[in-house]
Structure formats: structure tokens, C-alpha cells
Amino acid sequence: MTSISQNCKNTLSGTVKDLHDSSLLVGATVIVAGTEQAVQTNLDGEYVFNHLCNGTYDIQVSHPFCVTQGFTVKVNGNTIKTFKLEHHLEELNEVIIKGHAYGDKSKTLVESTISKEKLEQFNGGTLGDALNSLSGVSSLNSGNAIVKPIVNGLHSSRVILINNGVRMEDQEWGVEHAPNIDVNAVGNLTLIKGASALQYSGDAVGGVIVTEAAKVPIKDTLYGKTILTTATNGRGGSVTSQLTKSYQNGWYGTLQGTWKRFGDFKTPDYILSNTGTSEQNASFNIGLNRFDYGIEAYYSYFKNEIGILSASHIGGASDLVSAINSNVPLIINDFTYNISEPKQDITHHLARIKGFKTFENLGKISLQYDFQRNNRLEYDIRTGSDSGKASVDLELTTHTLKLDLDSHLSNNIKLKTGIKTTYQDNFANPNTGVRRLIPDYDKYDLGMYAVLDYHINNNWLIEAGGRFDYTYIDAYKYYKTSFWESRNYDELYPEIIVEEFDNQILTHPELHFYNPSVTLGSTYNLGTDYQLFFNYSIASRAPNASELFSEGLHHSASRIEYGDLSFNSEIGHKFILTFQRNNKDLSFSVSPFINTIKDFIVIEPTSIATTVRGSFQVWEYRQTNAQLLGIDVDASYAFTTNLRYNYQFSLVKGYDRPQDEPLISMPPVNMKNEIVYQNPKLNHLRLALQSEYVFRQNEYPDNNFEVYIAETESTQLVDISTPPDAYHLLNFNSSIDLNINQKSKLKLGFGITNLLNTSYRDYLNSMRYYADDLGRNFLLNIKFNY
């Protein structure tokens, strides 16, 4: 053992990571044996020793619920060394560890995470509701039960959702197509507000959402939990249970299921008729996890039936104008649990098998195959022999195979590479008897990526990466002859015509898209508490099937939609700069961004059309050049050990540059203030009061239009552009732990949303044209760990 002298100037530094997934371990203790030198890793899992001589040292590394390990390190000049520990998670005793084990999905972007405990507060809601608790995230709603996340102003196909390593393929193009994921099956959720996570996707113009199952300890144990939630608004609730069995030899299995049922929801003043929901979900996984190899099989089933507000589907043009101009819905019925037409019924199957093997001089190789089948049914109000028959019946089947390599080229250089191929088949059932909104098509994708992390020194890291994706779409679609000619397709694409009929044309479009993506970023540590993040990314997204082919009534959205066959890929350039402080007393993060998108695809209302079903708004897709800019702010201050103040602020502005006007459906400025009292000595009592203020959206395009009213032989202006007023909501939630016995614990939670029963309409809720948003809701949550 070499003795340490004051004249020695060498440093030993690096990180402490989880052996299995390389997540950074915060609060690990690193000791130089035989000396008094000991340090703990910071929030980035980093440690550093100064004033070491050249020589060989024995190092001891420990972490809560990890096996303490010893290492021998040779120091010759400034030395960087990464230590990896076998990380065990304690599921039964729920000991609170200060700090978190962060993943390294992106090294140069601040990743927003939602813990398992936080997610459990939303077990009666949706994944979109949980994401809406993060700064920079809003929700695009179609009523109360269909919630899509908006990340820095972007949504749908621009926000990629990764579910346990699988990219979700669930017809996400629609504004009312919510993520088909059971929030109760998620152990950890990470939001990346940019496209830098190239291992997942290159087309994440808005961001990437990664959901992961909870880790399973490598020991002989059996544990589980059951959560029961009831709510007054909707007069319903949910129950979810999960059971996990693991063994010391690395084998494990988990079984989970959820049942959820709500009737009609209500505003402060009236019932929202036909807004009930019924949801049944189940998942299981089984696997073997060893130090240097492992395999896992996973399957999930998701089924959701959702009622669509009756007042959004009405008769003629005069009824539609009256519905939009009315302060109350034109249809208000008594409360019921029945879900009638209009409604949507979605079933999603996901299966995955994945294996990994670590090689000494190569790195970790992972191979994964996954399968998804999404069946989407949309029901309109139909009569006669068509009564009860779906108006839209889409079945999307996806097969994906991917290979990834995670290598450490040296102590300070890490390389991730991978290749992925996907085949997708969309079948639009013609037996609905209704013109198909989306045609039959086959889609083939091939993607390759490489991401390099380079630690210049202890304080400075650089990340660079590139990806290329090729997409081929082979479709067969019938066009109305009038629509085909109105778009000048007869002159632009005569070669794709297969056959012409009296009023229809059968076409065979074959489309090719070549999409490069790039990321370049840097992270710099400014002392102990401060960090500076910079990231520049180029994301390239091929247009989806809806944007290309839509031509007809989108029933659950209650509008007619038209796509455009001539669309190019979107190309987004996003800059994000984040200044962050991590401290137990005062923490904050300030993140300004700018996102410039060439050939941005926007959908907006243009008119009203009358069909045999009734009158509907017409929304059309078009391409333009857009620019989005804004800022997200998070702050937290501890007044005392038990009392903390949390603050969030988000601002995003979006502009159509060629037309010099604001973009439609941009989130208004919003701000959240929260006071939290938490006392571990009082059975972990937690009391929180939150104030949420959403400003009026003062920048919006003028998409108003006039409609002819046959009954009065006059025209009337339809105002569908003016946003609703600002609103302020108060929310309360609380929880307390009760010990039943040594291995079982009961957590009781009580909350109230919209405490003051405020009447309001949200600009991002498509049902705001017809009704107010939800009124006061009392929630009771009971969690039983065993």
C-alpha cells in the first residue's frame, strides 16, 4: 500500500454505476482503504479523490442495498475509474434513500423523472395525467379520459413513447388517441425534452417518454401490492394488484392487473353525458438476470372503452353553430354508467423477448424482438342494420427486431451503436360500410445509430451521435374523384392510378423517406451544486398515414380530416440550454429552448361540411415552416426539514413563419405553486396544497369561418378560434403510512382536485366547444404492501 503525502498531486475520479443497466448510483460511499479518505457520489454518481501519489490502492465501494465490493486501482497520474455494483432494491421495507439512481438515456439533457411513488397518485387516471405534472408538459384532451402529452408545444407522432424498451405503435396520430399504457404497470417514467436519445428514435421532434418496469431484487423473496382508488366525480374507481417472485439465482416473475370503471363525469353545473370509461389491463414478465447475461419475456394487454361527449355529435349546420355558441351542452342526460355511441374501443397487445450478454473486451450486446397489435374501433350513432357496427375499424400489426451494443472504449469514452428493422401492416376493415379514413398499407423501417460519450475531465462531458432511418410505405387507397382532382393529383400522380370508377379512383402510392438525425451536446459541472447542459439536435420525421392519406370523417374526433399525399419529412433543429442547481435546501433548473422545424405539418379547421350523418368541422393538414421557443423553470426550497415549496413555470410560443401568425393549439403559459409538509416521524405524513394558474392564450390564428344556415337562409360566423379565459385551480393531496405487521404496510391517501369547484374551459381540450371542464373531485387511495 502506498502512503499518501501532501506533495502528491494526482486525482482518482469516476462514477459508480449499477452493474446491470449502468444507471448512476447516487450516495455511494467510496473509501481509500488504510486512509481517512472517504467520499460520497454526487447526483451524477461521480466521486473524486485528490492528492494521491502514484501507486496501487485498495478501494471499497458501498451503497444502500448493494453488495459492498473491493477494487484494486493503479494510479499513475490523474486516473479515471468506473466502479460497478450489484444493486439490490428493497421492496418490502420501503426505506427512503436520499438521492436517485439516474439512467443515462441522454447525458447532455436534463431528464425529468416521475418516481413509482408519484405515479401511484395517478393510478385512477391516465399516463397523460401523470406526465402533466412535469414542467414543459401540457395535455391535449378530448374530454376528460383521453389525455395526450404535449412536450414543449408538440404532440402525437412527434413525441415518442417507449414502453419497457418497445416503441409504442398504437395509431398515435389522432388528437384523441391516448397512449395505450396502464400507468399502474410503470415503475419509473423519464421524459427527455429533445431528440438526443437516438437509441430510441430519430423522429422525436418533440421528445421521448420512457416508461420502465420496477427493478426486481436478486434474492429469494415474494412481495406484492394492491391499490384501491375511488373518486366522486364519475362515481367510480380502480383496483390494481401486482405480485413479484424472485430467486437468489436470478430468476424472477411479475404478474400485474388493473380494472377501472367510471360513469358520466360532471362539471360544476351539469352532467357530461356519455363520458364514462371502462378499462381492463394485465401484464406479466418472466426472466433471468445474471451478472453478465440475462433474458426476459414480457407481455401486456390493454383494453379501454371510452364514451365521447354526446353533445359533440349533433345534426345539421344550425345545430352545430348553436352547440358551439351555447354556454351549456345541447345534450344533458341523467347520470349513467352506460357507454353508448359515439365511443371508441381500443385493444392493444404487446409482447417482447429480450436477451443480453456482456463480453469482456467488447461490451454489452442486447437483442430484442417485439410484437404489437392495436385494434381501434370508433362507433358513431347509426340506425337500422348498421346499428352497433363500428364506423372505423383499424388493425395495426407491428414486428420489430433490434440489436444494440454498449461499449466502453476506455475509462472516459463510451460508445452505443445499434440497428433496428420494423415491419408494419395496417388493415382498414371495409365491412364498416363507411368510407375508410386510413387505407390499407405496409410500412418498412430500417434505422441505424451511434452515440459517443467522451469525458474530457471530471467536470466536462461531450456527447455526439448520429442516426439514419429509411421508411418505405406501400399503400392502396380509394380517392373520391372530386377530391383527387381538387388537389391536382390527376396531374401530379397519374402513374399511381390502378383503376378508375364512376366517382372513385383506386391508387397505389409507394413512398420513400430518408431521415438523418444528429445530436451534439455538452455537460459542465460548475462546482459542487451547479451544472450547465447544452444540447443541439436534428430530428427528421416522416409524415404519418393520417397526414398523408386522411379523407373522411374521424368519428371519435367528431370532425372531417383531409391529408396531403405530397408531404415531405419534417426536419427540426432544437437548441436547449439548462442551468441547474442541486442542493438539499434550494434546487432549481432553468431551461430555455428554440425549435425550428422545416416542413412542419399542422392541422387546422377550415370550414363546416354537412354529410348524411350531420354537420362537422373540416380540419385540413398543410405544411409550413414553424418556430417554437420557450422556457421551463423548476424550483424547490426547503423552509425547514419538513416543509418545502415547489414551483413550476412553462412558456412556449409557436409561429407559422411564412404566414407570420401563431400556430394553433399552442399551450398557454402556466404556473404551479405547491407547499408540501412531510414528516417521516409521523408515519410519513404528507400534506400538499397546489395552486395551478393557466393564463389565457393570447396568440392564436384566426380560423373562423362563415356557414350557411338553410333554415334562416343566412350566413353566420362560427368562432372556433377565440381561446377561453384564464383559470385558477386549487388541488389538495395527502397520505399517511400505517404499519400492519413487520412485512406489511398500509398507505392511505386523500385528495381533492378543483377544490373550489371552478367552472372553466381549457384551450387544449377539443370538447371546449361544447362543454366546461371537470368540477370538484374527491379521491381516496388505499395502498397495501405485502
Side-chain angles (χ1 to χ4, degrees), residues 37 144 435:
Q37 292 207 63
N144 50 278
R435 183 175 187 81

Side-chain angles (χ1 to χ4, degrees), residues 24-27 40-46 98-103 528-529 531 580-584 587:
L24 301 172
L25 299 182
V26 179
Q40 282 194 325
T41 54
N42 62 16
L43 288 173
D44 294 306
E46 298 172 337
K98 293 186 182 298
H100 305 276
Y102 290 101
T528 305
D529 298 336
Q531 283 185 301
Q580 177 177 274
R581 185 193 190 204
N582 285 310
N583 184 277
K584 65 178 182 179
S587 298

Side-chain angles (χ1 to χ4, degrees), residues 62 94 109 113 137 167 205 248 272 286 290 299 330 345 351 362 412 465 483 489 520 534 564 669 684 688 709 720 768:
S62 62
E94 287 197 355
L109 279 175
T113 61
V137 181
R167 172 173 172 153
V205 182
Q248 185 67 40
L272 296 167
I286 184 171
R290 295 285 178 85
Y299 169 79
L330 297 187
D345 191 344
L362 181 62
N412 57 350
F483 181 82
Y489 288 166
L520 178 64
F534 166 78
D564 196 313
V669 178
H684 289 98
I709 307 298
I720 59 172
R768 70 176 172 87

